[in-house]
Amino acid sequence: MSALKELAEGLVSGRVKVVDLSAPLGPDTPLLKLPPELAVDTPKIEIHKISEYDQNGPFWAWNWLKLGEHSGTHFDAPAHWITGKDQPNNTTDTLPVEKIVAPVCVIDCSKEAAADPDFLLTADGIRAWEAEHGAIEPGSWVVMRTDWYKRNGSEDTFLNADATGPHSPGPSVDCVELVVERGAIGWGTECIGTDAGQAGGMDPPFPAHNLLHKSGRYGLASLCRLDQLPPKGAVLIAAPLKIVHGTGSPIRALALVGG
Ligand code: 23J
Ligand code: MN
C-alpha cells in the first residue's frame, strides 16, 4: 500500500491520531512581557464582533481580530531576529512549506522542569536522548517537553516572574548549537517563547532566537500536550499564516501519532 493511502486509512480508522498542540487564542492568552526600558510589548489580543445574525449581518456571524504575530501557540520565522534578517525566504509568506511538515523528536524534561523552573536543556542532555532514541535526523523538529503547558492558563503561572524576571525552562547555548548542527528544521517549547525565561542574560542574549534564526531555522512557542507524543515517530505540522512580510504567526500546531 502507498504511504499516503496507509496514512489516510489510519486517519479514518483512528489508528493514526491527531493531537492538538495549540492553546486557545483569545483575550486571556498569556503574552510575553519585556523589560520596559528595552522594548514595547505585543498588544493584548482583541476579538471584535462584526455581526451575529443581527442588524449588522442578518444571516451570518463573524469577528475581526487584533493580535500580534507572536501571540499564543506560534511560529517564529528567521526574519523575527536580527541574525536572520538576511536569510533567504525568511518570512511567513516566503518560507518553504514542504519543510514544515516534519518528523518530531520530543525531549522529555518534565521532571527536571518540575524541580527547577530555570532548568536548561544542554547539548549533553540532547546527546543522552540520542543515546536512548537514536540520532536527531536532519529536517526534524526538536521540541522540549516540560509539561509547562499546564501553567498556560494565566500569565502569572506561565511567565512565573519575580523581581529577577521570568523563570521558565529552555535551551542552553550549546543545546541550540547542537540542534542546528544536527540539521533540525526548528526548535519548539511549551513556554511563552523558544528561549528560557532568563535567556536575556545569556551570551548571546536569547540564544534560541539568535542561533536558530541565524541559520534559517524556525521556532515554535507555547506548544501544548507534548506529553501525548512519543519520543520519536510522530509527525508535526506547524504552518504559519501567509502574512505578507510576516515575522511569525499564531498556528494550529498538530501532531500525527501512529498506529
Ligand atoms: C521579542 C523579543 C524577545 C523575545 C520574543 C519576542 C519571543 O519570545 C517571541 O515570541 O519570539 S524572547
Ligand atoms: Mn515568537
Side-chain angles (χ1 to χ4, degrees):
M1 207 184 327
S2 79
L4 208 50
K5 191 158 183 238
E6 204 173 330
L7 172 62
E9 289 186 11
L11 287 165
V12 170
S13 70
R15 225 164 22 85
V16 176
K17 286 198 289 293
V18 180
V19 181
D20 183 0
L21 305 182
S22 283
L25 190 66
D28 298 330
T29 297
L31 297 174
L32 187 67
K33 289 214 174 21
L34 293 162
E37 65 278 10
L38 179 73
V40 173
D41 277 332
T42 192
K44 295 295 289 177
I45 297 173
E46 296 176 15
I47 301 179
H48 295 272
K49 191 175 296 177
I50 305 171
S51 75
E52 195 176 26
Y53 332 116
D54 54 23
Q55 69 283 0
N56 293 327
F59 309 141
W60 52 87
W62 54 355
N63 305 312
W64 67 271
L65 311 179
K66 175 174 167 180
L67 82 170
E69 293 171 329
H70 299 259
S71 302
T73 304
H74 75 272
F75 187 104
D76 290 350
H80 177 43
W81 219 253
I82 188 166
T83 51
K85 72 181 174 55
D86 297 322
Q87 282 286 323
N89 306 315
N90 62 355
T91 53
T92 47
D93 53 337
T94 58
L95 60 86
V97 286
E98 61 271 21
K99 303 285 185 200
I100 59 181
V101 179
V104 58
C105 299
V106 183
I107 322 278
D108 182 5
C109 304
S110 55
K111 286 195 184 65
E112 294 87 342
D116 174 12
D118 291 311
F119 172 74
L120 298 180
L121 177 62
T122 62
D124 279 345
I126 297 269
R127 288 189 201 100
W129 182 92
E130 287 185 310
E132 195 175 341
H133 302 289
I136 293 168
E137 276 134 26
S140 303
W141 288 104
V142 180
V143 298
M144 180 179 181
R145 172 190 162 196
T146 53
D147 294 349
W148 204 260
Y149 79 91
K150 294 176 182 173
R151 294 165 166 260
N152 188 344
S154 82
E155 251 163 29
D156 256 19
T157 52
F158 201 48
L159 301 180
N160 196 35
D162 63 15
T164 63
H167 297 276
S168 56
S172 69
V173 174
D174 71 349
C175 174
V176 185
E177 286 170 345
L178 186 60
V179 166
V180 169
E181 187 184 314
R182 289 289 188 262
I185 183 71
W187 160 265
T189 82
E190 294 180 339
C191 300
I192 194 103
T194 54
D195 268 299
Q198 291 288 298
M202 294 180 186
D203 182 19
F206 307 108
H209 287 81
N210 184 302
L211 302 172
L212 288 168
H213 302 326
K214 181 159 84 180
S215 293
R217 313 309 163 84
Y218 309 131
L220 302 175
S222 300
L223 293 169
C224 297
R225 289 173 287 279
L226 296 178
D227 54 347
Q228 294 185 21
L229 306 190
K232 227 177 189 180
V235 170
L236 174 56
I237 303 166
L241 298 179
K242 203 165 179 170
I243 299 169
V244 176
H245 299 143
T247 71
S249 160
I251 54 172
R252 189 64 176 264
L254 303 173
L256 304 181
V257 182

PDB file of all heavy atoms in Angstrom, residues 167-201:
ATOM      1  N   HIS A 167      10.825  33.153  35.039  1.00  0.00           N
ATOM      2  CA  HIS A 167      11.535  31.890  35.298  1.00  0.00           C
ATOM      3  C   HIS A 167      10.796  30.744  34.615  1.00  0.00           C
ATOM      4  O   HIS A 167       9.764  30.284  35.099  1.00  0.00           O
ATOM      5  CB  HIS A 167      11.662  31.655  36.803  1.00  0.00           C
ATOM      6  CG  HIS A 167      12.479  32.705  37.486  1.00  0.00           C
ATOM      7  ND1 HIS A 167      13.856  32.662  37.547  1.00  0.00           N
ATOM      8  CD2 HIS A 167      12.114  33.872  38.072  1.00  0.00           C
ATOM      9  CE1 HIS A 167      14.304  33.728  38.158  1.00  0.00           C
ATOM     10  NE2 HIS A 167      13.267  34.485  38.496  1.00  0.00           N
ATOM     11  N   SER A 168      11.317  30.322  33.491  1.00  0.00           N
ATOM     12  CA  SER A 168      10.752  29.184  32.755  1.00  0.00           C
ATOM     13  C   SER A 168      11.889  28.454  32.046  1.00  0.00           C
ATOM     14  O   SER A 168      12.903  29.062  31.700  1.00  0.00           O
ATOM     15  CB  SER A 168       9.694  29.666  31.765  1.00  0.00           C
ATOM     16  OG  SER A 168      10.227  30.636  30.897  1.00  0.00           O
ATOM     17  N   PRO A 169      11.710  27.146  31.823  1.00  0.00           N
ATOM     18  CA  PRO A 169      12.813  26.351  31.258  1.00  0.00           C
ATOM     19  C   PRO A 169      13.026  26.624  29.771  1.00  0.00           C
ATOM     20  O   PRO A 169      12.166  27.175  29.090  1.00  0.00           O
ATOM     21  CB  PRO A 169      12.342  24.908  31.479  1.00  0.00           C
ATOM     22  CG  PRO A 169      10.860  24.993  31.615  1.00  0.00           C
ATOM     23  CD  PRO A 169      10.549  26.330  32.195  1.00  0.00           C
ATOM     24  N   GLY A 170      14.191  26.206  29.292  1.00  0.00           N
ATOM     25  CA  GLY A 170      14.521  26.401  27.879  1.00  0.00           C
ATOM     26  C   GLY A 170      15.858  25.763  27.552  1.00  0.00           C
ATOM     27  O   GLY A 170      16.378  24.964  28.342  1.00  0.00           O
ATOM     28  N   PRO A 171      16.417  26.111  26.409  1.00  0.00           N
ATOM     29  CA  PRO A 171      17.689  25.507  25.988  1.00  0.00           C
ATOM     30  C   PRO A 171      18.892  26.344  26.423  1.00  0.00           C
ATOM     31  O   PRO A 171      18.814  27.573  26.500  1.00  0.00           O
ATOM     32  CB  PRO A 171      17.566  25.526  24.465  1.00  0.00           C
ATOM     33  CG  PRO A 171      16.793  26.788  24.191  1.00  0.00           C
ATOM     34  CD  PRO A 171      15.838  26.959  25.356  1.00  0.00           C
ATOM     35  N   SER A 172      20.016  25.671  26.650  1.00  0.00           N
ATOM     36  CA  SER A 172      21.286  26.365  26.842  1.00  0.00           C
ATOM     37  C   SER A 172      21.834  26.752  25.468  1.00  0.00           C
ATOM     38  O   SER A 172      21.317  26.318  24.430  1.00  0.00           O
ATOM     39  CB  SER A 172      22.283  25.450  27.547  1.00  0.00           C
ATOM     40  OG  SER A 172      22.659  24.399  26.674  1.00  0.00           O
ATOM     41  N   VAL A 173      22.883  27.544  25.465  1.00  0.00           N
ATOM     42  CA  VAL A 173      23.527  27.941  24.205  1.00  0.00           C
ATOM     43  C   VAL A 173      24.013  26.704  23.454  1.00  0.00           C
ATOM     44  O   VAL A 173      23.734  26.537  22.252  1.00  0.00           O
ATOM     45  CB  VAL A 173      24.707  28.913  24.476  1.00  0.00           C
ATOM     46  CG1 VAL A 173      25.477  29.202  23.190  1.00  0.00           C
ATOM     47  CG2 VAL A 173      24.189  30.217  25.089  1.00  0.00           C
ATOM     48  N   ASP A 174      24.720  25.803  24.142  1.00  0.00           N
ATOM     49  CA  ASP A 174      25.289  24.644  23.411  1.00  0.00           C
ATOM     50  C   ASP A 174      24.201  23.669  22.948  1.00  0.00           C
ATOM     51  O   ASP A 174      24.381  22.947  21.967  1.00  0.00           O
ATOM     52  CB  ASP A 174      26.428  23.968  24.187  1.00  0.00           C
ATOM     53  CG  ASP A 174      25.978  23.195  25.421  1.00  0.00           C
ATOM     54  OD1 ASP A 174      24.801  23.319  25.836  1.00  0.00           O
ATOM     55  OD2 ASP A 174      26.814  22.464  25.997  1.00  0.00           O
ATOM     56  N   CYS A 175      23.051  23.683  23.626  1.00  0.00           N
ATOM     57  CA  CYS A 175      21.915  22.882  23.173  1.00  0.00           C
ATOM     58  C   CYS A 175      21.435  23.373  21.804  1.00  0.00           C
ATOM     59  O   CYS A 175      21.259  22.577  20.870  1.00  0.00           O
ATOM     60  CB  CYS A 175      20.775  22.976  24.195  1.00  0.00           C
ATOM     61  SG  CYS A 175      19.245  22.184  23.689  1.00  0.00           S
ATOM     62  N   VAL A 176      21.234  24.674  21.682  1.00  0.00           N
ATOM     63  CA  VAL A 176      20.759  25.226  20.400  1.00  0.00           C
ATOM     64  C   VAL A 176      21.800  24.987  19.315  1.00  0.00           C
ATOM     65  O   VAL A 176      21.454  24.633  18.180  1.00  0.00           O
ATOM     66  CB  VAL A 176      20.433  26.729  20.526  1.00  0.00           C
ATOM     67  CG1 VAL A 176      19.833  27.240  19.215  1.00  0.00           C
ATOM     68  CG2 VAL A 176      19.472  26.991  21.663  1.00  0.00           C
ATOM     69  N   GLU A 177      23.069  25.160  19.661  1.00  0.00           N
ATOM     70  CA  GLU A 177      24.139  24.914  18.677  1.00  0.00           C
ATOM     71  C   GLU A 177      24.067  23.484  18.136  1.00  0.00           C
ATOM     72  O   GLU A 177      24.198  23.256  16.927  1.00  0.00           O
ATOM     73  CB  GLU A 177      25.519  25.166  19.309  1.00  0.00           C
ATOM     74  CG  GLU A 177      25.822  26.642  19.505  1.00  0.00           C
ATOM     75  CD  GLU A 177      27.073  26.895  20.352  1.00  0.00           C
ATOM     76  OE1 GLU A 177      27.558  25.959  21.039  1.00  0.00           O
ATOM     77  OE2 GLU A 177      27.551  28.050  20.331  1.00  0.00           O
ATOM     78  N   LEU A 178      23.838  22.520  19.030  1.00  0.00           N
ATOM     79  CA  LEU A 178      23.789  21.122  18.597  1.00  0.00           C
ATOM     80  C   LEU A 178      22.537  20.835  17.752  1.00  0.00           C
ATOM     81  O   LEU A 178      22.598  20.113  16.752  1.00  0.00           O
ATOM     82  CB  LEU A 178      23.848  20.183  19.811  1.00  0.00           C
ATOM     83  CG  LEU A 178      23.949  18.692  19.481  1.00  0.00           C
ATOM     84  CD1 LEU A 178      25.202  18.388  18.660  1.00  0.00           C
ATOM     85  CD2 LEU A 178      23.950  17.844  20.768  1.00  0.00           C
ATOM     86  N   VAL A 179      21.416  21.419  18.148  1.00  0.00           N
ATOM     87  CA  VAL A 179      20.171  21.245  17.380  1.00  0.00           C
ATOM     88  C   VAL A 179      20.366  21.764  15.945  1.00  0.00           C
ATOM     89  O   VAL A 179      19.962  21.123  14.976  1.00  0.00           O
ATOM     90  CB  VAL A 179      18.992  21.956  18.092  1.00  0.00           C
ATOM     91  CG1 VAL A 179      17.780  22.091  17.184  1.00  0.00           C
ATOM     92  CG2 VAL A 179      18.613  21.195  19.368  1.00  0.00           C
ATOM     93  N   VAL A 180      21.021  22.907  15.825  1.00  0.00           N
ATOM     94  CA  VAL A 180      21.302  23.476  14.496  1.00  0.00           C
ATOM     95  C   VAL A 180      22.270  22.568  13.736  1.00  0.00           C
ATOM     96  O   VAL A 180      22.052  22.256  12.557  1.00  0.00           O
ATOM     97  CB  VAL A 180      21.859  24.911  14.628  1.00  0.00           C
ATOM     98  CG1 VAL A 180      22.397  25.415  13.292  1.00  0.00           C
ATOM     99  CG2 VAL A 180      20.786  25.857  15.157  1.00  0.00           C
ATOM    100  N   GLU A 181      23.307  22.102  14.439  1.00  0.00           N
ATOM    101  CA  GLU A 181      24.316  21.233  13.815  1.00  0.00           C
ATOM    102  C   GLU A 181      23.688  19.928  13.291  1.00  0.00           C
ATOM    103  O   GLU A 181      24.091  19.414  12.239  1.00  0.00           O
ATOM    104  CB  GLU A 181      25.392  20.930  14.867  1.00  0.00           C
ATOM    105  CG  GLU A 181      26.615  20.179  14.358  1.00  0.00           C
ATOM    106  CD  GLU A 181      27.567  19.856  15.522  1.00  0.00           C
ATOM    107  OE1 GLU A 181      27.826  20.774  16.347  1.00  0.00           O
ATOM    108  OE2 GLU A 181      28.008  18.696  15.623  1.00  0.00           O
ATOM    109  N   ARG A 182      22.696  19.428  14.004  1.00  0.00           N
ATOM    110  CA  ARG A 182      22.029  18.190  13.581  1.00  0.00           C
ATOM    111  C   ARG A 182      21.185  18.390  12.327  1.00  0.00           C
ATOM    112  O   ARG A 182      20.683  17.436  11.743  1.00  0.00           O
ATOM    113  CB  ARG A 182      21.139  17.651  14.702  1.00  0.00           C
ATOM    114  CG  ARG A 182      21.901  17.076  15.888  1.00  0.00           C
ATOM    115  CD  ARG A 182      22.562  15.766  15.525  1.00  0.00           C
ATOM    116  NE  ARG A 182      23.133  15.131  16.701  1.00  0.00           N
ATOM    117  CZ  ARG A 182      24.421  15.216  17.042  1.00  0.00           C
ATOM    118  NH1 ARG A 182      25.261  15.904  16.292  1.00  0.00           N
ATOM    119  NH2 ARG A 182      24.868  14.605  18.130  1.00  0.00           N
ATOM    120  N   GLY A 183      20.955  19.642  11.957  1.00  0.00           N
ATOM    121  CA  GLY A 183      20.157  19.902  10.758  1.00  0.00           C
ATOM    122  C   GLY A 183      18.664  19.948  11.028  1.00  0.00           C
ATOM    123  O   GLY A 183      17.857  19.785  10.099  1.00  0.00           O
ATOM    124  N   ALA A 184      18.287  20.173  12.296  1.00  0.00           N
ATOM    125  CA  ALA A 184      16.855  20.273  12.623  1.00  0.00           C
ATOM    126  C   ALA A 184      16.226  21.438  11.856  1.00  0.00           C
ATOM    127  O   ALA A 184      16.874  22.457  11.629  1.00  0.00           O
ATOM    128  CB  ALA A 184      16.667  20.471  14.124  1.00  0.00           C
ATOM    129  N   ILE A 185      14.964  21.276  11.486  1.00  0.00           N
ATOM    130  CA  ILE A 185      14.241  22.364  10.810  1.00  0.00           C
ATOM    131  C   ILE A 185      13.931  23.485  11.804  1.00  0.00           C
ATOM    132  O   ILE A 185      13.839  24.659  11.439  1.00  0.00           O
ATOM    133  CB  ILE A 185      12.941  21.823  10.153  1.00  0.00           C
ATOM    134  CG1 ILE A 185      12.216  22.915   9.382  1.00  0.00           C
ATOM    135  CG2 ILE A 185      11.996  21.206  11.150  1.00  0.00           C
ATOM    136  CD1 ILE A 185      12.911  23.315   8.139  1.00  0.00           C
ATOM    137  N   GLY A 186      13.777  23.092  13.099  1.00  0.00           N
ATOM    138  CA  GLY A 186      13.468  24.091  14.112  1.00  0.00           C
ATOM    139  C   GLY A 186      13.364  23.471  15.493  1.00  0.00           C
ATOM    140  O   GLY A 186      13.533  22.258  15.666  1.00  0.00           O
ATOM    141  N   TRP A 187      13.063  24.355  16.437  1.00  0.00           N
ATOM    142  CA  TRP A 187      13.052  24.024  17.862  1.00  0.00           C
ATOM    143  C   TRP A 187      11.783  24.563  18.493  1.00  0.00           C
ATOM    144  O   TRP A 187      11.393  25.704  18.196  1.00  0.00           O
ATOM    145  CB  TRP A 187      14.293  24.661  18.509  1.00  0.00           C
ATOM    146  CG  TRP A 187      14.237  24.847  19.989  1.00  0.00           C
ATOM    147  CD1 TRP A 187      13.850  25.977  20.665  1.00  0.00           C
ATOM    148  CD2 TRP A 187      14.590  23.878  20.995  1.00  0.00           C
ATOM    149  NE1 TRP A 187      13.940  25.772  22.021  1.00  0.00           N
ATOM    150  CE2 TRP A 187      14.395  24.498  22.246  1.00  0.00           C
ATOM    151  CE3 TRP A 187      15.051  22.562  20.938  1.00  0.00           C
ATOM    152  CZ2 TRP A 187      14.647  23.838  23.450  1.00  0.00           C
ATOM    153  CZ3 TRP A 187      15.302  21.904  22.138  1.00  0.00           C
ATOM    154  CH2 TRP A 187      15.104  22.532  23.376  1.00  0.00           C
ATOM    155  N   GLY A 188      11.138  23.777  19.342  1.00  0.00           N
ATOM    156  CA  GLY A 188       9.927  24.262  19.986  1.00  0.00           C
ATOM    157  C   GLY A 188       9.888  23.966  21.470  1.00  0.00           C
ATOM    158  O   GLY A 188      10.531  23.025  21.944  1.00  0.00           O
ATOM    159  N   THR A 189       9.120  24.787  22.204  1.00  0.00           N
ATOM    160  CA  THR A 189       8.935  24.554  23.630  1.00  0.00           C
ATOM    161  C   THR A 189       7.480  24.816  24.028  1.00  0.00           C
ATOM    162  O   THR A 189       6.692  25.341  23.243  1.00  0.00           O
ATOM    163  CB  THR A 189       9.824  25.464  24.519  1.00  0.00           C
ATOM    164  OG1 THR A 189       9.197  26.737  24.653  1.00  0.00           O
ATOM    165  CG2 THR A 189      11.226  25.619  23.969  1.00  0.00           C
ATOM    166  N   GLU A 190       7.168  24.463  25.273  1.00  0.00           N
ATOM    167  CA  GLU A 190       5.825  24.686  25.800  1.00  0.00           C
ATOM    168  C   GLU A 190       5.723  26.025  26.534  1.00  0.00           C
ATOM    169  O   GLU A 190       4.659  26.339  27.075  1.00  0.00           O
ATOM    170  CB  GLU A 190       5.450  23.545  26.754  1.00  0.00           C
ATOM    171  CG  GLU A 190       5.328  22.209  26.017  1.00  0.00           C
ATOM    172  CD  GLU A 190       4.971  21.049  26.914  1.00  0.00           C
ATOM    173  OE1 GLU A 190       5.191  21.119  28.150  1.00  0.00           O
ATOM    174  OE2 GLU A 190       4.465  20.038  26.388  1.00  0.00           O
ATOM    175  N   CYS A 191       6.801  26.808  26.534  1.00  0.00           N
ATOM    176  CA  CYS A 191       6.823  28.088  27.256  1.00  0.00           C
ATOM    177  C   CYS A 191       6.456  29.236  26.325  1.00  0.00           C
ATOM    178  O   CYS A 191       6.232  29.037  25.139  1.00  0.00           O
ATOM    179  CB  CYS A 191       8.188  28.292  27.901  1.00  0.00           C
ATOM    180  SG  CYS A 191       8.581  26.972  29.070  1.00  0.00           S
ATOM    181  N   ILE A 192       6.427  30.445  26.859  1.00  0.00           N
ATOM    182  CA  ILE A 192       5.934  31.626  26.115  1.00  0.00           C
ATOM    183  C   ILE A 192       6.779  31.927  24.886  1.00  0.00           C
ATOM    184  O   ILE A 192       6.278  32.465  23.894  1.00  0.00           O
ATOM    185  CB  ILE A 192       5.853  32.850  27.061  1.00  0.00           C
ATOM    186  CG1 ILE A 192       5.051  33.990  26.454  1.00  0.00           C
ATOM    187  CG2 ILE A 192       7.237  33.351  27.447  1.00  0.00           C
ATOM    188  CD1 ILE A 192       3.675  34.118  27.000  1.00  0.00           C
ATOM    189  N   GLY A 193       8.055  31.565  24.940  1.00  0.00           N
ATOM    190  CA  GLY A 193       8.955  31.748  23.804  1.00  0.00           C
ATOM    191  C   GLY A 193       9.878  30.552  23.696  1.00  0.00           C
ATOM    192  O   GLY A 193       9.880  29.670  24.561  1.00  0.00           O
ATOM    193  N   THR A 194      10.709  30.545  22.652  1.00  0.00           N
ATOM    194  CA  THR A 194      11.603  29.403  22.431  1.00  0.00           C
ATOM    195  C   THR A 194      12.781  29.419  23.400  1.00  0.00           C
ATOM    196  O   THR A 194      13.478  28.408  23.542  1.00  0.00           O
ATOM    197  CB  THR A 194      12.134  29.416  20.991  1.00  0.00           C
ATOM    198  OG1 THR A 194      12.732  30.692  20.731  1.00  0.00           O
ATOM    199  CG2 THR A 194      11.017  29.172  19.998  1.00  0.00           C
ATOM    200  N   ASP A 195      13.021  30.580  24.011  1.00  0.00           N
ATOM    201  CA  ASP A 195      14.118  30.713  24.967  1.00  0.00           C
ATOM    202  C   ASP A 195      13.634  30.580  26.403  1.00  0.00           C
ATOM    203  O   ASP A 195      12.456  30.825  26.700  1.00  0.00           O
ATOM    204  CB  ASP A 195      14.780  32.092  24.790  1.00  0.00           C
ATOM    205  CG  ASP A 195      15.936  32.046  23.817  1.00  0.00           C
ATOM    206  OD1 ASP A 195      16.908  31.316  24.095  1.00  0.00           O
ATOM    207  OD2 ASP A 195      15.884  32.733  22.782  1.00  0.00           O
ATOM    208  N   ALA A 196      14.573  30.277  27.286  1.00  0.00           N
ATOM    209  CA  ALA A 196      14.277  30.209  28.723  1.00  0.00           C
ATOM    210  C   ALA A 196      13.905  31.598  29.245  1.00  0.00           C
ATOM    211  O   ALA A 196      14.259  32.622  28.645  1.00  0.00           O
ATOM    212  CB  ALA A 196      15.502  29.683  29.466  1.00  0.00           C
ATOM    213  N   GLY A 197      13.203  31.631  30.370  1.00  0.00           N
ATOM    214  CA  GLY A 197      12.796  32.895  30.975  1.00  0.00           C
ATOM    215  C   GLY A 197      13.970  33.826  31.238  1.00  0.00           C
ATOM    216  O   GLY A 197      13.858  35.041  31.078  1.00  0.00           O
ATOM    217  N   GLN A 198      15.090  33.252  31.620  1.00  0.00           N
ATOM    218  CA  GLN A 198      16.270  34.044  31.996  1.00  0.00           C
ATOM    219  C   GLN A 198      17.250  34.246  30.824  1.00  0.00           C
ATOM    220  O   GLN A 198      18.385  34.688  31.021  1.00  0.00           O
ATOM    221  CB  GLN A 198      16.991  33.367  33.167  1.00  0.00           C
ATOM    222  CG  GLN A 198      16.191  33.416  34.469  1.00  0.00           C
ATOM    223  CD  GLN A 198      16.159  34.823  35.058  1.00  0.00           C
ATOM    224  OE1 GLN A 198      17.188  35.379  35.410  1.00  0.00           O
ATOM    225  NE2 GLN A 198      14.969  35.418  35.133  1.00  0.00           N
ATOM    226  N   ALA A 199      16.805  33.935  29.602  1.00  0.00           N
ATOM    227  CA  ALA A 199      17.717  33.906  28.444  1.00  0.00           C
ATOM    228  C   ALA A 199      18.236  35.277  28.025  1.00  0.00           C
ATOM    229  O   ALA A 199      19.233  35.356  27.294  1.00  0.00           O
ATOM    230  CB  ALA A 199      17.032  33.237  27.257  1.00  0.00           C
ATOM    231  N   GLY A 200      17.585  36.350  28.495  1.00  0.00           N
ATOM    232  CA  GLY A 200      18.070  37.697  28.166  1.00  0.00           C
ATOM    233  C   GLY A 200      19.470  37.946  28.703  1.00  0.00           C
ATOM    234  O   GLY A 200      20.213  38.761  28.147  1.00  0.00           O
ATOM    235  N   GLY A 201      19.843  37.219  29.752  1.00  0.00           N
ATOM    236  CA  GLY A 201      21.159  37.388  30.353  1.00  0.00           C
ATOM    237  C   GLY A 201      22.204  36.419  29.831  1.00  0.00           C
ATOM    238  O   GLY A 201      23.335  36.376  30.349  1.00  0.00           O
TER     239      GLY A 201
END
